[in-house]
Amino acid sequence: MAGCFNLRRLSLAVVVFVDVAMAPAQQSSDLQQQLEELKQQYQQATQQLQQRITVLEQQIAKQNETEAKQKQATVSATEAAAEEAVKNVLFGGSNKVGAQYQGQIPSPPTYDLLQEAETKIQGLQQQLGAFEFHGYFRSGYGLNSVGGQQVAFQAPGAGAKYRLGNEAETYGEFIFVNNWINPDAASDKAWMKTEVMLEANTTNSASYANFNDGTGNDQFRLREVFVRAGNIFESQPNAKFWAAPAH
């Protein structure tokens, strides 16, 4: 009896040991299965994202192509309108009128002619940019109590009359400046300009005309003529040179 009891206890222990040993193996299999499922889900998500990216890239490429065609069409329409405007200017809106009054044009305007015209326009713009005009102008008019002309008041012995409200003439100063070198006034380049100032004045109620009865008193004077230059020497950039004709 004692030997049988021991055998039962031994077989029970073996069964318990086998059950305990099979539990970790089953858990490992479950984890492996979960890992495989996650891998499949990751691959599916990656494929979906890649497909979405491809679709978006195709849409963007198609949109860019459409915008490029629209831009090209706009540019072509603008060029056509510009060419039509040039033809209207050159032909005067009528080939007959142009041939009769303006002479025949040997060939219609081409790109080379338009480019040459643009170059000439740029040259004229540079010349206009180099030219400056300054001036001063005033004109006074008045009547006295008997209907005569205003007479400027001047104190006895004074070298000049008073100014404010006492100028009964038309007076102007016209200054013409041309920038021959460095018209853009770059601070690191030499510059040279010429300046001429003309003065003109006339008496009250006159309009720059010489009258036979002597009432006109027009005067035109050359007040200033000189040349200025600066920034000639790098060591003395603020030095300026001035020259004028001798009287």
Side-chain angles (χ1 to χ4, degrees), residues 42-56:
Y42 173 78
Q43 292 177 355
Q44 292 177 357
T46 303
Q47 291 177 357
Q48 292 177 357
L49 290 175
Q50 186 63 39
Q51 293 175 356
R52 182 59 178 169
I53 291 172
T54 303
V55 172
L56 291 176

PDB file of all heavy atoms in Angstrom, residues 42-56:
ATOM      1  N   TYR A  42       1.185  46.828 -40.838  1.00  0.00           N
ATOM      2  CA  TYR A  42       2.165  47.860 -41.210  1.00  0.00           C
ATOM      3  C   TYR A  42       2.375  47.870 -42.719  1.00  0.00           C
ATOM      4  O   TYR A  42       2.439  48.946 -43.351  1.00  0.00           O
ATOM      5  CB  TYR A  42       3.476  47.615 -40.464  1.00  0.00           C
ATOM      6  CG  TYR A  42       4.597  48.523 -40.900  1.00  0.00           C
ATOM      7  CD1 TYR A  42       4.643  49.841 -40.454  1.00  0.00           C
ATOM      8  CD2 TYR A  42       5.609  48.075 -41.744  1.00  0.00           C
ATOM      9  CE1 TYR A  42       5.670  50.678 -40.845  1.00  0.00           C
ATOM     10  CE2 TYR A  42       6.625  48.893 -42.141  1.00  0.00           C
ATOM     11  CZ  TYR A  42       6.667  50.211 -41.700  1.00  0.00           C
ATOM     12  OH  TYR A  42       7.678  51.034 -42.094  1.00  0.00           O
ATOM     13  N   GLN A  43       2.513  46.690 -43.332  1.00  0.00           N
ATOM     14  CA  GLN A  43       2.712  46.621 -44.769  1.00  0.00           C
ATOM     15  C   GLN A  43       1.505  47.172 -45.517  1.00  0.00           C
ATOM     16  O   GLN A  43       1.643  47.904 -46.508  1.00  0.00           O
ATOM     17  CB  GLN A  43       2.992  45.178 -45.182  1.00  0.00           C
ATOM     18  CG  GLN A  43       4.340  44.645 -44.692  1.00  0.00           C
ATOM     19  CD  GLN A  43       4.546  43.191 -45.063  1.00  0.00           C
ATOM     20  OE1 GLN A  43       3.644  42.544 -45.610  1.00  0.00           O
ATOM     21  NE2 GLN A  43       5.742  42.646 -44.747  1.00  0.00           N
ATOM     22  N   GLN A  44       0.306  46.832 -45.061  1.00  0.00           N
ATOM     23  CA  GLN A  44      -0.891  47.347 -45.708  1.00  0.00           C
ATOM     24  C   GLN A  44      -0.979  48.874 -45.600  1.00  0.00           C
ATOM     25  O   GLN A  44      -1.297  49.572 -46.567  1.00  0.00           O
ATOM     26  CB  GLN A  44      -2.130  46.698 -45.087  1.00  0.00           C
ATOM     27  CG  GLN A  44      -2.264  45.204 -45.382  1.00  0.00           C
ATOM     28  CD  GLN A  44      -3.453  44.581 -44.695  1.00  0.00           C
ATOM     29  OE1 GLN A  44      -4.173  45.259 -43.935  1.00  0.00           O
ATOM     30  NE2 GLN A  44      -3.686  43.289 -44.938  1.00  0.00           N
ATOM     31  N   ALA A  45      -0.681  49.410 -44.386  1.00  0.00           N
ATOM     32  CA  ALA A  45      -0.717  50.879 -44.205  1.00  0.00           C
ATOM     33  C   ALA A  45       0.325  51.560 -45.074  1.00  0.00           C
ATOM     34  O   ALA A  45       0.081  52.620 -45.671  1.00  0.00           O
ATOM     35  CB  ALA A  45      -0.496  51.224 -42.733  1.00  0.00           C
ATOM     36  N   THR A  46       1.517  50.962 -45.176  1.00  0.00           N
ATOM     37  CA  THR A  46       2.577  51.538 -46.010  1.00  0.00           C
ATOM     38  C   THR A  46       2.172  51.547 -47.472  1.00  0.00           C
ATOM     39  O   THR A  46       2.387  52.536 -48.196  1.00  0.00           O
ATOM     40  CB  THR A  46       3.882  50.740 -45.824  1.00  0.00           C
ATOM     41  OG1 THR A  46       4.229  50.735 -44.442  1.00  0.00           O
ATOM     42  CG2 THR A  46       4.999  51.354 -46.632  1.00  0.00           C
ATOM     43  N   GLN A  47       1.579  50.473 -47.947  1.00  0.00           N
ATOM     44  CA  GLN A  47       1.131  50.414 -49.328  1.00  0.00           C
ATOM     45  C   GLN A  47       0.044  51.450 -49.606  1.00  0.00           C
ATOM     46  O   GLN A  47       0.048  52.114 -50.649  1.00  0.00           O
ATOM     47  CB  GLN A  47       0.621  49.004 -49.648  1.00  0.00           C
ATOM     48  CG  GLN A  47       1.711  47.933 -49.675  1.00  0.00           C
ATOM     49  CD  GLN A  47       1.146  46.546 -49.926  1.00  0.00           C
ATOM     50  OE1 GLN A  47      -0.078  46.383 -50.020  1.00  0.00           O
ATOM     51  NE2 GLN A  47       2.021  45.556 -50.032  1.00  0.00           N
ATOM     52  N   GLN A  48      -0.883  51.617 -48.672  1.00  0.00           N
ATOM     53  CA  GLN A  48      -1.929  52.618 -48.857  1.00  0.00           C
ATOM     54  C   GLN A  48      -1.350  54.031 -48.910  1.00  0.00           C
ATOM     55  O   GLN A  48      -1.759  54.857 -49.741  1.00  0.00           O
ATOM     56  CB  GLN A  48      -2.962  52.497 -47.725  1.00  0.00           C
ATOM     57  CG  GLN A  48      -3.771  51.207 -47.772  1.00  0.00           C
ATOM     58  CD  GLN A  48      -4.717  51.087 -46.594  1.00  0.00           C
ATOM     59  OE1 GLN A  48      -4.728  51.947 -45.697  1.00  0.00           O
ATOM     60  NE2 GLN A  48      -5.514  50.009 -46.576  1.00  0.00           N
ATOM     61  N   LEU A  49      -0.405  54.324 -48.019  1.00  0.00           N
ATOM     62  CA  LEU A  49       0.232  55.645 -48.038  1.00  0.00           C
ATOM     63  C   LEU A  49       0.999  55.873 -49.333  1.00  0.00           C
ATOM     64  O   LEU A  49       0.977  56.970 -49.906  1.00  0.00           O
ATOM     65  CB  LEU A  49       1.170  55.794 -46.833  1.00  0.00           C
ATOM     66  CG  LEU A  49       0.496  55.915 -45.466  1.00  0.00           C
ATOM     67  CD1 LEU A  49       1.541  55.933 -44.367  1.00  0.00           C
ATOM     68  CD2 LEU A  49      -0.357  57.175 -45.390  1.00  0.00           C
ATOM     69  N   GLN A  50       1.701  54.864 -49.811  1.00  0.00           N
ATOM     70  CA  GLN A  50       2.453  54.994 -51.054  1.00  0.00           C
ATOM     71  C   GLN A  50       1.515  55.249 -52.233  1.00  0.00           C
ATOM     72  O   GLN A  50       1.799  56.081 -53.107  1.00  0.00           O
ATOM     73  CB  GLN A  50       3.291  53.721 -51.300  1.00  0.00           C
ATOM     74  CG  GLN A  50       4.226  53.823 -52.491  1.00  0.00           C
ATOM     75  CD  GLN A  50       5.273  54.900 -52.292  1.00  0.00           C
ATOM     76  OE1 GLN A  50       5.796  55.065 -51.189  1.00  0.00           O
ATOM     77  NE2 GLN A  50       5.581  55.625 -53.347  1.00  0.00           N
ATOM     78  N   GLN A  51       0.393  54.541 -52.243  1.00  0.00           N
ATOM     79  CA  GLN A  51      -0.578  54.773 -53.300  1.00  0.00           C
ATOM     80  C   GLN A  51      -1.144  56.189 -53.225  1.00  0.00           C
ATOM     81  O   GLN A  51      -1.329  56.849 -54.244  1.00  0.00           O
ATOM     82  CB  GLN A  51      -1.705  53.738 -53.199  1.00  0.00           C
ATOM     83  CG  GLN A  51      -1.271  52.302 -53.510  1.00  0.00           C
ATOM     84  CD  GLN A  51      -2.385  51.305 -53.283  1.00  0.00           C
ATOM     85  OE1 GLN A  51      -3.476  51.660 -52.824  1.00  0.00           O
ATOM     86  NE2 GLN A  51      -2.128  50.041 -53.598  1.00  0.00           N
ATOM     87  N   ARG A  52      -1.421  56.664 -52.021  1.00  0.00           N
ATOM     88  CA  ARG A  52      -1.939  58.022 -51.848  1.00  0.00           C
ATOM     89  C   ARG A  52      -0.914  59.064 -52.307  1.00  0.00           C
ATOM     90  O   ARG A  52      -1.265  60.044 -52.972  1.00  0.00           O
ATOM     91  CB  ARG A  52      -2.289  58.247 -50.372  1.00  0.00           C
ATOM     92  CG  ARG A  52      -2.881  59.623 -50.070  1.00  0.00           C
ATOM     93  CD  ARG A  52      -4.134  59.868 -50.850  1.00  0.00           C
ATOM     94  NE  ARG A  52      -4.716  61.162 -50.520  1.00  0.00           N
ATOM     95  CZ  ARG A  52      -5.703  61.730 -51.197  1.00  0.00           C
ATOM     96  NH1 ARG A  52      -6.209  61.125 -52.263  1.00  0.00           N
ATOM     97  NH2 ARG A  52      -6.194  62.885 -50.820  1.00  0.00           N
ATOM     98  N   ILE A  53       0.359  58.840 -51.974  1.00  0.00           N
ATOM     99  CA  ILE A  53       1.417  59.759 -52.393  1.00  0.00           C
ATOM    100  C   ILE A  53       1.514  59.798 -53.916  1.00  0.00           C
ATOM    101  O   ILE A  53       1.667  60.865 -54.535  1.00  0.00           O
ATOM    102  CB  ILE A  53       2.766  59.357 -51.767  1.00  0.00           C
ATOM    103  CG1 ILE A  53       2.739  59.614 -50.250  1.00  0.00           C
ATOM    104  CG2 ILE A  53       3.928  60.115 -52.411  1.00  0.00           C
ATOM    105  CD1 ILE A  53       3.943  59.083 -49.521  1.00  0.00           C
ATOM    106  N   THR A  54       1.441  58.631 -54.547  1.00  0.00           N
ATOM    107  CA  THR A  54       1.514  58.568 -56.011  1.00  0.00           C
ATOM    108  C   THR A  54       0.359  59.340 -56.645  1.00  0.00           C
ATOM    109  O   THR A  54       0.543  60.087 -57.614  1.00  0.00           O
ATOM    110  CB  THR A  54       1.497  57.102 -56.464  1.00  0.00           C
ATOM    111  OG1 THR A  54       2.587  56.397 -55.850  1.00  0.00           O
ATOM    112  CG2 THR A  54       1.622  57.008 -57.969  1.00  0.00           C
ATOM    113  N   VAL A  55      -0.849  59.181 -56.094  1.00  0.00           N
ATOM    114  CA  VAL A  55      -2.008  59.891 -56.632  1.00  0.00           C
ATOM    115  C   VAL A  55      -1.843  61.399 -56.487  1.00  0.00           C
ATOM    116  O   VAL A  55      -2.114  62.183 -57.410  1.00  0.00           O
ATOM    117  CB  VAL A  55      -3.291  59.408 -55.924  1.00  0.00           C
ATOM    118  CG1 VAL A  55      -4.491  60.278 -56.330  1.00  0.00           C
ATOM    119  CG2 VAL A  55      -3.567  57.947 -56.270  1.00  0.00           C
ATOM    120  N   LEU A  56      -1.364  61.852 -55.314  1.00  0.00           N
ATOM    121  CA  LEU A  56      -1.158  63.292 -55.099  1.00  0.00           C
ATOM    122  C   LEU A  56      -0.086  63.841 -56.034  1.00  0.00           C
ATOM    123  O   LEU A  56      -0.221  64.952 -56.560  1.00  0.00           O
ATOM    124  CB  LEU A  56      -0.769  63.543 -53.640  1.00  0.00           C
ATOM    125  CG  LEU A  56      -1.874  63.304 -52.601  1.00  0.00           C
ATOM    126  CD1 LEU A  56      -1.326  63.501 -51.189  1.00  0.00           C
ATOM    127  CD2 LEU A  56      -3.051  64.242 -52.837  1.00  0.00           C
TER     128      LEU A  56
END
